[in-house]
Amino acid sequence: MTHPLYVRTIDTTNTVHPSIRAAARAHGVSRRTVAYHLDTYGDLSRLGRGKARPGCQNASKATVIFGREFPSRVAAAKHLGISVSQLKRWIHPNASAAMRDMLMAAMMRAESGRAQA
């Protein structure tokens, strides 16, 4: 069932919206989402409880390698002189012992080069 855009809607905060469009704008969702909730649940009580997580999910994450902390994986990879994808493989929980050894060797090379500078 489709709702015309002029249907009055009331959300969980008892705010009356003059239309589906107004309710969608107020909640930051599409008109289709508001119409879906009205068709499926009969109200807007579940609106905005989706699987989406707020904030940037790709934000840099602090990384600790053998006790040395880096502000991000990019910074760690740059310090070690390797690519980020290689670093991810080496620090993955399922990385092999050989990969861990390569990580240790790269860290030792980077630290010895930094000490000489």
Side-chain angles (χ1 to χ4, degrees), residues 61-93:
K61 297 171 180 69
T63 303
V64 179
I65 301 173
F66 300 118
R68 174 93 193 273
E69 186 169 344
F70 298 93
S72 67
R73 290 179 181 178
V74 172
K78 191 177 285 189
H79 176 77
L80 297 175
I82 59 175
S83 68
V84 176
S85 60
Q86 185 65 49
L87 177 65
K88 286 180 183 178
R89 283 193 291 272
W90 286 357
I91 64 174
H92 193 274

Side-chain angles (χ1 to χ4, degrees), residues 10 14 33 57 61 67 83 86 94 96 99 102:
I10 302 174
N14 291 328
T33 302
Q57 299 303 309
K61 297 171 180 69
S83 68
Q86 185 65 49
N94 294 336
S96 66
M99 288 182 177
M102 288 186 273

Side-chain angles (χ1 to χ4, degrees), residues 20-41:
I20 290 177
R21 180 177 293 175
R25 284 185 181 158
H27 289 280
V29 296
S30 70
R31 290 179 295 180
R32 292 176 120 178
T33 302
V34 173
Y36 170 80
H37 279 261
L38 291 172
D39 286 340
T40 305
Y41 307 114

